[in-house]
Amino acid sequence: MNRLLPRALMAPAVAVLVLWMLAPLLMTIYFSFVNYNLMQPGERTFNGLANFEYFITDPDFWPAVWNTLMLIGSVIAITVVLGVALALLVNEPFPGRGIVRVLLISPFFVMPTVNALLWKHMMMNPIYGILADVWRTFGAEPIDWLTDLPLFSVIVMVAWQWLPFACLIFITSLQSLDREQMEAARMDGATAVQRFGYLTLPHLARPMAVVIMIEMIFLLSVFAEIAITTAGGPGNESTNLTYMIFKQSLMNFDVGVASAGALFAVVLANIVAAFLIRIIGKNLD
Protein backbone atom coordinates (compact mmCIF):
# COMPACT_ATOMS: atom_id res chain seq x y z
CA MET A 1 0.00 0.00 0.00
CA ASN A 2 2.86 2.35 0.83
CA ARG A 3 4.28 1.86 -2.67
CA LEU A 4 0.94 1.93 -4.46
CA LEU A 5 -0.20 5.33 -3.18
CA PRO A 6 2.74 7.40 -4.57
CA ARG A 7 2.45 5.65 -7.93
CA ALA A 8 -1.30 6.26 -8.05
CA LEU A 9 -0.77 9.95 -7.32
CA MET A 10 1.85 10.20 -10.05
CA ALA A 11 -0.19 8.24 -12.60
CA PRO A 12 -2.27 11.19 -13.96
CA ALA A 13 0.83 13.32 -14.56
CA VAL A 14 2.68 10.44 -16.18
CA ALA A 15 -0.31 9.64 -18.39
CA VAL A 16 -0.62 13.24 -19.55
CA LEU A 17 3.11 13.37 -20.28
CA VAL A 18 3.02 10.13 -22.25
CA LEU A 19 0.02 11.31 -24.29
CA TRP A 20 1.67 14.69 -24.85
CA MET A 21 4.75 12.97 -26.25
CA LEU A 22 3.23 9.99 -28.03
CA ALA A 23 0.18 11.56 -29.69
CA PRO A 24 2.14 13.83 -32.09
CA LEU A 25 4.65 11.07 -32.79
CA LEU A 26 1.93 8.53 -33.59
CA MET A 27 0.15 11.03 -35.86
CA THR A 28 3.43 11.74 -37.65
CA ILE A 29 4.01 8.01 -38.16
CA TYR A 30 0.47 7.62 -39.50
CA PHE A 31 0.72 10.51 -41.96
CA SER A 32 4.15 9.32 -43.17
CA PHE A 33 2.53 6.19 -44.62
CA VAL A 34 -0.44 7.85 -46.34
CA ASN A 35 -0.81 10.12 -49.33
CA TYR A 36 -2.18 13.24 -47.60
CA ASN A 37 -2.07 16.67 -49.20
CA LEU A 38 -3.73 19.71 -47.65
CA MET A 39 -5.08 20.72 -51.06
CA GLN A 40 -7.04 17.43 -51.07
CA PRO A 41 -7.83 16.83 -47.38
CA GLY A 42 -10.44 14.17 -48.08
CA GLU A 43 -8.00 11.76 -49.74
CA ARG A 44 -5.81 9.68 -47.45
CA THR A 45 -4.70 6.62 -49.36
CA PHE A 46 -2.04 4.27 -48.00
CA ASN A 47 1.15 4.40 -50.07
CA GLY A 48 3.69 2.47 -47.98
CA LEU A 49 7.24 3.82 -48.10
CA ALA A 50 6.62 6.12 -51.07
CA ASN A 51 6.79 9.25 -48.91
CA PHE A 52 10.18 8.24 -47.53
CA GLU A 53 11.46 7.45 -51.01
CA TYR A 54 10.21 10.78 -52.34
CA PHE A 55 11.83 12.69 -49.48
CA ILE A 56 15.20 10.94 -49.77
CA THR A 57 15.31 11.21 -53.58
CA ASP A 58 14.43 14.91 -53.51
CA PRO A 59 17.26 16.91 -55.15
CA ASP A 60 17.44 19.08 -52.03
CA PHE A 61 17.88 16.12 -49.64
CA TRP A 62 21.63 15.50 -49.73
CA PRO A 63 22.52 19.22 -49.89
CA ALA A 64 20.23 19.70 -46.88
CA VAL A 65 21.98 16.89 -44.99
CA TRP A 66 25.38 18.36 -45.83
CA ASN A 67 24.29 21.87 -44.83
CA THR A 68 22.89 20.51 -41.55
CA LEU A 69 26.17 18.76 -40.72
CA MET A 70 28.23 21.81 -41.72
CA LEU A 71 26.03 24.07 -39.62
CA ILE A 72 26.24 21.83 -36.56
CA GLY A 73 29.97 21.17 -36.83
CA SER A 74 30.93 24.78 -37.51
CA VAL A 75 28.80 26.26 -34.74
CA ILE A 76 30.07 23.74 -32.20
CA ALA A 77 33.70 24.37 -33.19
CA ILE A 78 33.27 28.15 -32.98
CA THR A 79 31.41 28.14 -29.67
CA VAL A 80 33.77 25.68 -27.97
CA VAL A 81 37.00 27.39 -29.08
CA LEU A 82 35.84 30.97 -28.53
CA GLY A 83 33.89 29.96 -25.42
CA VAL A 84 37.02 28.59 -23.77
CA ALA A 85 39.05 31.63 -24.83
CA LEU A 86 36.49 34.12 -23.50
CA ALA A 87 35.99 32.13 -20.31
CA LEU A 88 39.73 32.24 -19.63
CA LEU A 89 39.78 35.99 -20.26
CA VAL A 90 36.89 36.92 -17.99
CA ASN A 91 37.94 34.43 -15.33
CA GLU A 92 40.84 36.68 -14.33
CA PRO A 93 39.97 39.58 -11.99
CA PHE A 94 39.72 43.05 -13.55
CA PRO A 95 37.59 46.18 -12.97
CA GLY A 96 34.04 45.74 -14.23
CA ARG A 97 34.28 41.96 -14.58
CA GLY A 98 30.70 41.46 -13.36
CA ILE A 99 29.29 43.82 -16.00
CA VAL A 100 31.36 42.19 -18.72
CA ARG A 101 30.07 38.75 -17.75
CA VAL A 102 26.46 39.94 -17.90
CA LEU A 103 26.99 41.51 -21.33
CA LEU A 104 28.79 38.39 -22.50
CA ILE A 105 25.89 36.04 -21.80
CA SER A 106 23.12 38.44 -22.87
CA PRO A 107 22.95 37.28 -26.56
CA PHE A 108 21.77 33.86 -25.37
CA PHE A 109 18.50 35.45 -24.21
CA VAL A 110 17.78 36.99 -27.62
CA MET A 111 15.04 35.11 -29.48
CA PRO A 112 16.18 33.41 -32.71
CA THR A 113 13.83 35.57 -34.77
CA VAL A 114 15.20 38.78 -33.29
CA ASN A 115 18.72 37.44 -33.70
CA ALA A 116 18.13 36.83 -37.40
CA LEU A 117 16.59 40.29 -37.93
CA LEU A 118 19.49 42.00 -36.14
CA TRP A 119 22.11 40.32 -38.28
CA LYS A 120 20.12 40.67 -41.49
CA HIS A 121 19.43 44.41 -41.23
CA MET A 122 21.93 45.84 -38.74
CA MET A 123 25.08 43.83 -39.45
CA MET A 124 25.01 42.15 -42.88
CA ASN A 125 23.00 44.52 -45.04
CA PRO A 126 25.28 45.40 -47.99
CA ILE A 127 24.03 49.01 -48.13
CA TYR A 128 23.59 50.29 -44.57
CA GLY A 129 24.90 47.42 -42.43
CA ILE A 130 27.74 47.84 -39.94
CA LEU A 131 29.94 45.35 -41.77
CA ALA A 132 29.40 47.28 -45.02
CA ASP A 133 30.56 50.48 -43.30
CA VAL A 134 33.65 48.69 -42.00
CA TRP A 135 34.45 47.42 -45.50
CA ARG A 136 34.06 50.93 -46.97
CA THR A 137 36.32 52.36 -44.27
CA PHE A 138 39.15 50.19 -45.58
CA GLY A 139 38.28 50.98 -49.20
CA ALA A 140 36.82 47.55 -49.96
CA GLU A 141 33.57 46.65 -51.70
CA PRO A 142 30.86 45.55 -49.20
CA ILE A 143 29.89 41.90 -49.32
CA ASP A 144 26.30 40.81 -49.83
CA TRP A 145 26.60 38.18 -47.12
CA LEU A 146 23.19 36.53 -47.42
CA THR A 147 23.55 36.14 -51.20
CA ASP A 148 27.24 35.38 -51.63
CA LEU A 149 27.87 33.46 -48.37
CA PRO A 150 24.43 32.30 -47.18
CA LEU A 151 25.40 29.24 -45.13
CA PHE A 152 28.38 31.01 -43.56
CA SER A 153 26.09 33.91 -42.61
CA VAL A 154 23.65 31.54 -40.88
CA ILE A 155 26.55 29.86 -39.07
CA VAL A 156 27.74 33.24 -37.76
CA MET A 157 24.25 34.15 -36.53
CA VAL A 158 23.68 30.86 -34.74
CA ALA A 159 27.20 30.78 -33.28
CA TRP A 160 26.75 34.32 -31.93
CA GLN A 161 23.64 33.23 -30.06
CA TRP A 162 25.06 29.96 -28.69
CA LEU A 163 28.51 31.31 -27.75
CA PRO A 164 27.26 32.78 -24.43
CA PHE A 165 25.86 29.40 -23.41
CA ALA A 166 29.21 27.67 -23.92
CA CYS A 167 31.05 30.55 -22.29
CA LEU A 168 28.79 30.45 -19.22
CA ILE A 169 29.34 26.70 -18.77
CA PHE A 170 33.12 27.12 -19.07
CA ILE A 171 33.22 30.09 -16.68
CA THR A 172 31.30 28.09 -14.09
CA SER A 173 33.69 25.17 -14.51
CA LEU A 174 36.78 27.35 -14.17
CA GLN A 175 35.54 28.53 -10.79
CA SER A 176 36.17 25.02 -9.43
CA LEU A 177 39.71 24.76 -10.86
CA ASP A 178 42.29 24.08 -8.14
CA ARG A 179 44.17 27.38 -7.74
CA GLU A 180 46.83 25.87 -5.52
CA GLN A 181 47.67 23.29 -8.17
CA MET A 182 47.92 26.00 -10.82
CA GLU A 183 50.15 28.10 -8.60
CA ALA A 184 52.35 25.10 -7.82
CA ALA A 185 52.74 24.38 -11.54
CA ARG A 186 53.66 28.01 -12.19
CA MET A 187 56.28 27.98 -9.42
CA ASP A 188 57.74 24.75 -10.85
CA GLY A 189 58.38 26.57 -14.11
CA ALA A 190 55.41 25.44 -16.20
CA THR A 191 54.56 27.90 -18.96
CA ALA A 192 51.07 29.26 -19.57
CA VAL A 193 50.65 26.90 -22.53
CA GLN A 194 51.71 23.90 -20.42
CA ARG A 195 49.38 24.88 -17.57
CA PHE A 196 46.53 25.19 -20.06
CA GLY A 197 47.29 21.89 -21.79
CA TYR A 198 47.87 19.76 -18.69
CA LEU A 199 45.59 21.37 -16.10
CA THR A 200 42.93 23.68 -17.55
CA LEU A 201 41.99 21.70 -20.65
CA PRO A 202 41.51 18.34 -18.85
CA HIS A 203 39.44 20.16 -16.24
CA LEU A 204 37.18 21.51 -19.03
CA ALA A 205 36.73 18.11 -20.72
CA ARG A 206 33.41 17.33 -19.05
CA PRO A 207 31.87 20.78 -19.64
CA MET A 208 32.97 20.56 -23.29
CA ALA A 209 31.24 17.21 -23.68
CA VAL A 210 28.03 18.59 -22.17
CA VAL A 211 28.13 21.72 -24.37
CA ILE A 212 28.69 19.63 -27.51
CA MET A 213 25.82 17.27 -26.70
CA ILE A 214 23.29 19.98 -25.87
CA GLU A 215 24.21 22.19 -28.81
CA MET A 216 24.16 19.33 -31.31
CA ILE A 217 20.65 18.29 -30.28
CA PHE A 218 19.27 21.82 -30.52
CA LEU A 219 21.17 22.76 -33.68
CA LEU A 220 19.44 19.97 -35.58
CA SER A 221 16.27 22.09 -35.46
CA VAL A 222 17.64 25.50 -36.52
CA PHE A 223 14.88 27.19 -38.49
CA ALA A 224 14.18 30.86 -37.72
CA GLU A 225 17.58 32.17 -38.82
CA ILE A 226 17.22 30.45 -42.21
CA ALA A 227 13.56 31.30 -42.76
CA ILE A 228 14.02 35.01 -42.03
CA THR A 229 17.35 35.66 -43.74
CA THR A 230 17.99 33.36 -46.71
CA ALA A 231 14.81 31.25 -47.06
CA GLY A 232 17.06 28.30 -47.76
CA GLY A 233 18.66 29.96 -50.77
CA PRO A 234 20.07 30.96 -53.06
CA GLY A 235 18.87 27.68 -54.50
CA ASN A 236 19.45 25.17 -51.72
CA GLU A 237 22.79 26.52 -50.46
CA SER A 238 21.48 27.22 -46.94
CA THR A 239 18.63 24.69 -46.73
CA ASN A 240 18.89 22.33 -43.76
CA LEU A 241 16.67 19.35 -42.96
CA THR A 242 14.33 21.40 -40.79
CA TYR A 243 13.72 23.99 -43.48
CA MET A 244 13.33 21.27 -46.11
CA ILE A 245 10.58 19.67 -44.01
CA PHE A 246 8.95 23.09 -43.70
CA LYS A 247 8.95 23.54 -47.46
CA GLN A 248 7.33 20.15 -47.98
CA SER A 249 4.63 20.73 -45.39
CA LEU A 250 3.66 24.40 -45.73
CA MET A 251 4.84 25.32 -49.22
CA ASN A 252 3.96 22.11 -51.05
CA PHE A 253 1.11 21.23 -48.66
CA ASP A 254 2.35 17.63 -48.64
CA VAL A 255 1.81 16.43 -45.08
CA GLY A 256 2.78 12.84 -45.92
CA VAL A 257 6.26 13.67 -47.25
CA ALA A 258 6.83 16.22 -44.51
CA SER A 259 5.93 13.62 -41.88
CA ALA A 260 8.36 11.16 -43.46
CA GLY A 261 11.05 13.83 -43.30
CA ALA A 262 10.20 14.57 -39.68
CA LEU A 263 10.64 10.89 -38.80
CA PHE A 264 13.97 10.88 -40.59
CA ALA A 265 15.03 13.89 -38.51
CA VAL A 266 13.88 12.16 -35.31
CA VAL A 267 15.89 9.04 -36.17
CA LEU A 268 18.94 11.18 -36.99
CA ALA A 269 18.62 13.11 -33.71
CA ASN A 270 18.36 9.89 -31.71
CA ILE A 271 21.39 8.39 -33.43
CA VAL A 272 23.41 11.52 -32.73
CA ALA A 273 22.19 11.68 -29.13
CA ALA A 274 23.00 8.00 -28.49
CA PHE A 275 26.45 8.43 -30.01
CA LEU A 276 27.16 11.51 -27.90
CA ILE A 277 25.84 9.94 -24.71
CA ARG A 278 28.25 7.02 -25.19
CA ILE A 279 31.17 9.39 -25.70
CA ILE A 280 30.19 11.59 -22.78
CA GLY A 281 29.58 8.56 -20.59
CA LYS A 282 33.14 7.40 -21.21
CA ASN A 283 34.38 10.93 -20.56
CA LEU A 284 32.56 11.15 -17.24
CA ASP A 285 33.81 7.80 -15.91
Side-chain angles (χ1 to χ4, degrees), residues 19-49:
L19 289 175
W20 182 268
M21 296 173 60
L22 287 182
L25 179 60
L26 293 176
M27 290 181 64
T28 302
I29 294 174
Y30 165 72
F31 284 123
S32 66
F33 289 101
V34 299
N35 183 20
Y36 180 39
N37 193 294
L38 293 177
M39 301 299 292
Q40 298 172 328
E43 299 182 9
R44 299 186 187 181
T45 57
F46 178 78
N47 61 354
L49 299 177

Side-chain angles (χ1 to χ4, degrees), residues 79-113:
T79 54
V80 169
V81 174
L82 293 184
V84 171
L86 291 174
L88 291 172
L89 287 175
V90 300
N91 189 52
E92 300 298 328
F94 60 88
R97 184 173 65 170
I99 298 176
V100 172
R101 286 182 175 181
V102 172
L103 294 176
L104 193 62
I105 65 174
S106 58
F108 187 63
F109 300 102
V110 178
M111 292 183 294
T113 304

Side-chain angles (χ1 to χ4, degrees), residues 263-283:
L263 285 182
F264 178 86
V266 169
V267 172
L268 179 63
N270 278 275
I271 293 174
V272 171
F275 178 72
L276 289 175
I277 288 173
R278 287 177 61 88
I279 295 178
I280 291 174
K282 293 180 180 179
N283 199 358

Side-chain angles (χ1 to χ4, degrees), residues 113-127:
T113 304
V114 179
N115 173 36
L117 290 172
L118 285 174
W119 279 93
K120 180 180 181 180
H121 296 291
M122 182 181 296
M123 300 296 296
M124 293 182 171
N125 190 284
I127 299 175

